[in-house]
Amino acid sequence: MTVLWTFEDLLAATGGTASGPFDVTGVAFDSREIGKGDLFFALKGAETDGHLFVDKAFANGAAGAIVSQAVPYPHILVADTMQALDALGHASRARTKAKIIGVTGSAGKTGTKEALFAALDRCSPGRAHRSVKSYNNHVGVPLSLARMPADCDFGVFEMGMNHAGEMRALSHIVRPDVAIITTIAPAHIEFFKDESGIADAKAEIFEGLVEGGTAILPADNVHYLRLRAAAEQYTNAILSFGFSADADVRVIDHLDSVHNSTLITAKVCDAILSFNLSQPGQHWIGNSMAVLAAVLAAGGDLASAGLAMAEMGGLAGRGARHDVAIAGGTAHLIDESYNANPASMAATIGQLGLSGGGRRIAVLGSMKELGDKGDDYHRALAAPLVAAKVDFAILVGKEMAILADELKAGVEGPKEFAHCATAQEALALLQQYLCASDTILVKGSNSMGLSTIVSALTGGEN
C-alpha cells in the first residue's frame, strides 16, 4: 500500500521521541478502525484512555502508535497525543497543494460535503479527499486532515461547532481556500443568546481563509447580510447561492423528475447549467447551488459536478431511502435518523408531504440542544405535519410531549398520533400500523436512537 506518512515526517510533525522507525499507510484513533499498516493515536478522553486499546490496535495490524506513555510496540512518545494529532493535521495542510474546502452550517453539512466530494472526484478521479462520517470536531478535523494523501487535488472537510470559538480553532487548522456556510438555523441554540450568535460562531470559518480565498454564503437566509459582513473582513471573493434572484449561483427552474430526482436549471455566475439531482427536497436543491459555487471557486468542472449529483446515492441517516418488504407488498422508508433541528425537521416533513401512494407516517424524535425555546420549536412542528397531510405521527422522547399535548388540545394535525418514551416503543407501534404502500419518515436527534427503527425495518442495511 502507498505510504501516507514516512517515519521522518511523523517525527518532524509531532516532535516526539521514537522507539524505532516505521512508515504508515493510514491514521485512526479508534482501534476498531485500525487496518494493516495504520498509525494509532492513543487519545485520552473524558471517559476512556486510548492507551488501554494499544494491544488491540496492534493486533489489528497497526504499524506504529503515537502515545504519551511507553508501550512495547513501535511508537513515538509525545507529551500530549491530542496536541500531536493537531500537529499532524497542520503538517498535512502545510504539505498539500490541494484546493481545500471547508463546509459548515446549521444543517446540510454532511450532504453538501458528500456531494462536493463526488463532484470533485468525478473531475479528478482518485485525487479528491474528504472527511468521513461526521468527523467535524476538534478531534475529527485534524484526523481527517492527517488522512489526506499528499498528492490530492482537492480536500473537503466538514466543520461543526457547539460553542463560540470552536469554529475559529478548526478554521486555523484547515485554512480553507473555499469556505461554505450552508444555512443558519436554531441548532445548538441553547449555547447561544439567539440565532445571531449562531451566525457569528459559524462565520468564524472565514478567519482561517487563505489569502484570496472564497466565501460562499446562503443568499436566502435571514442572516445573509450578517454573514457577508463577517466574510468581508477576510476576503473580497464572495459568492452567494440559493433561490434568490440576486444570488451569484441560483436556481432558475426546477422540475420533479422520475425516481424522486429533480431536473434543475441553474445560473452559475455567467454560465447556465442543467442537471438532474438525485436527492429530493428543497433543501437539497438549495445546497446543490452551494456545491456548484464551490466547484467553480476551487477550479473544478461544472459539467462533471452535474453528472455526479445525478448519480449520488442516499446517505444513511440523512435521506437514504429504502423499500421495506411487508405482508401484502412494500412500504417506503425515508431515513433521516441521524440528526434534527427545527429547520431540517420542517424541510423533511415537507418532503414526506410530496410522497404519493399510500399513507404518510412520521416517526419524530426529540430535537436536542434547543434551550429554553425548545417547547416552542417542538410545538411548531404541528404546522408542517398539517401541511404534509401526515396520517399518523409517532412522537418519541420527553421533549415531544409538548407537541403531543398540542395535538390533544384539538389543534389541526395528523388523523392519528401517539407519544412514546423510547425508540423501541415507537417501533412496536409502527410495526402494528404499517401497511403496504405507506411512506415512513424517521427523523430525530441522533441520541434518540431512531436508527434502530431503520435497522429493524431494513434488516440492518442502513
Side-chain angles (χ1 to χ4, degrees):
M1 293 183 67
T2 303
V3 171
L4 178 64
W5 291 98
T6 67
F7 171 72
E8 292 78 13
D9 288 340
L10 287 173
L11 205 56
T14 62
T17 303
S19 67
F22 57 87
D23 299 335
V24 299
T25 56
V27 184
F29 62 79
D30 186 334
S31 62
R32 295 167 296 184
E33 295 183 358
I34 288 288
K36 184 175 176 57
D38 285 351
L39 175 68
F40 176 62
F41 268 89
L43 301 181
K44 292 185 177 181
E47 298 182 359
T48 190
D49 183 345
H51 293 83
L52 300 174
F53 302 94
V54 170
D55 288 343
K56 183 176 180 182
F58 279 90
N60 287 342
I66 305 293
V67 295
S68 59
Q69 58 195 54
V71 296
Y73 303 100
H75 67 270
I76 295 175
L77 185 66
V78 298
D80 186 310
T81 52
M82 187 62 238
Q83 289 180 6
L85 180 57
D86 279 347
L88 194 60
H90 279 288
S92 178
R93 182 63 180 92
R95 74 178 182 175
T96 188
K97 294 181 180 178
K99 288 291 184 180
I100 302 298
I101 301 102
V103 183
T104 193
S106 300
K109 294 187 294 295
T110 300
T112 300
K113 178 255 298 183
E114 290 294 326
L116 185 51
F117 167 76
L120 296 171
D121 190 59
R122 179 82 183 226
C123 72
S124 191
R127 298 177 70 87
H129 172 80
R130 93 291 206 183
S131 48
V132 298
K133 301 181 181 179
S134 285
Y135 282 171
N136 63 17
N137 64 4
H138 69 289
V139 177
V141 169
L143 174 71
S144 298
L145 274 166
R147 288 174 164 178
M148 181 170 62
D151 61 350
C152 278
D153 293 331
F154 302 100
V156 188
F157 298 92
E158 181 178 338
M159 301 162 66
M161 63 89 210
N162 294 336
H163 298 83
E166 293 176 345
M167 185 61 62
R168 178 178 297 113
L170 297 180
S171 186
H172 283 294
I173 297 175
V174 174
R175 293 194 294 115
D177 295 282
V178 181
I180 302 170
I181 294 181
T182 58
T183 191
I184 301 298
H188 313 299
I189 198 167
E190 72 170 300
F191 305 120
F192 298 92
K193 180 181 178 181
D194 52 28
E195 274 192 25
S196 294
I198 297 174
D200 293 341
K202 294 290 186 185
E204 291 171 9
I205 193 174
F206 305 131
E207 297 182 28
L209 273 172
V210 302
E211 185 176 355
T214 302
I216 297 178
L217 310 175
D220 306 320
N221 193 268
V222 295
H223 302 286
Y224 170 71
L225 293 178
R226 191 181 192 94
L227 296 175
R228 189 177 184 95
E232 287 172 345
Q233 297 180 56
Y234 302 97
T235 183
N236 294 320
I238 298 174
L239 291 175
S240 58
F241 72 90
F243 293 86
S244 170
D246 297 325
D248 299 303
V249 181
R250 63 184 177 88
V251 178
I252 296 175
D253 195 15
H254 62 93
L255 178 68
D256 290 342
S257 187
V258 295
H259 305 303
N260 293 306
S261 67
T262 306
L263 177 62
I264 300 172
T265 302
K267 187 175 189 297
V268 186
C269 295
D270 296 327
I272 301 294
L273 178 69
S274 292
F275 64 99
N276 264 307
L277 175 65
S278 64
Q279 306 301 308
Q282 290 286 105
H283 54 303
W284 264 106
I285 296 171
N287 286 340
S288 72
M289 298 299 103
V291 172
L292 294 179
V295 168
L296 178 68
D301 182 73
L302 290 174
S304 294
L307 292 172
M309 287 192 282
E311 297 171 354
M312 275 191 66
L315 304 178
R318 294 180 171 88
R321 292 176 175 243
H322 305 271
D323 288 329
V324 179
I326 59 174
T330 301
H332 190 63
L333 173 65
I334 305 171
D335 175 16
E336 288 275 358
S337 60
Y338 186 81
N339 210 349
N341 60 52
S344 64
M345 272 286 199
T348 50
I349 292 171
Q351 188 60 35
L352 175 63
L354 298 178
S355 64
R359 302 171 304 176
R360 296 163 182 165
I361 305 169
V363 182
L364 306 180
S366 296
M367 300 178 289
K368 301 294 186 177
E369 298 181 352
L370 296 179
D372 58 7
K373 295 184 178 179
D375 282 357
D376 292 338
Y377 287 124
H378 284 86
R379 187 183 295 112
L381 294 178
L385 288 171
V386 170
K389 297 181 180 178
V390 170
D391 295 287
F392 185 31
I394 302 176
L395 312 176
V396 189
K398 64 180 182 180
E399 291 88 349
M400 278 291 175
I402 192 71
L403 176 57
D405 290 341
E406 185 83 350
L407 298 177
K408 286 177 186 176
V411 172
E412 185 182 2
K415 298 173 183 176
E416 298 182 65
F417 67 92
H419 181 234
C420 304
T422 67
Q424 290 71 29
E425 291 178 36
L427 174 61
L429 272 177
L430 180 61
Q431 289 173 324
Q432 293 174 18
Y433 186 85
L434 198 57
C435 292
S437 300
D438 288 346
T439 299
I440 314 107
L441 167 66
V442 179
K443 185 167 183 65
S445 289
N446 192 39
S447 62
M448 295 305 300
L450 299 192
S451 61
T452 59
I453 296 176
V454 177
S455 293
L457 294 178
T458 62
E461 66 177 271
N462 71 313

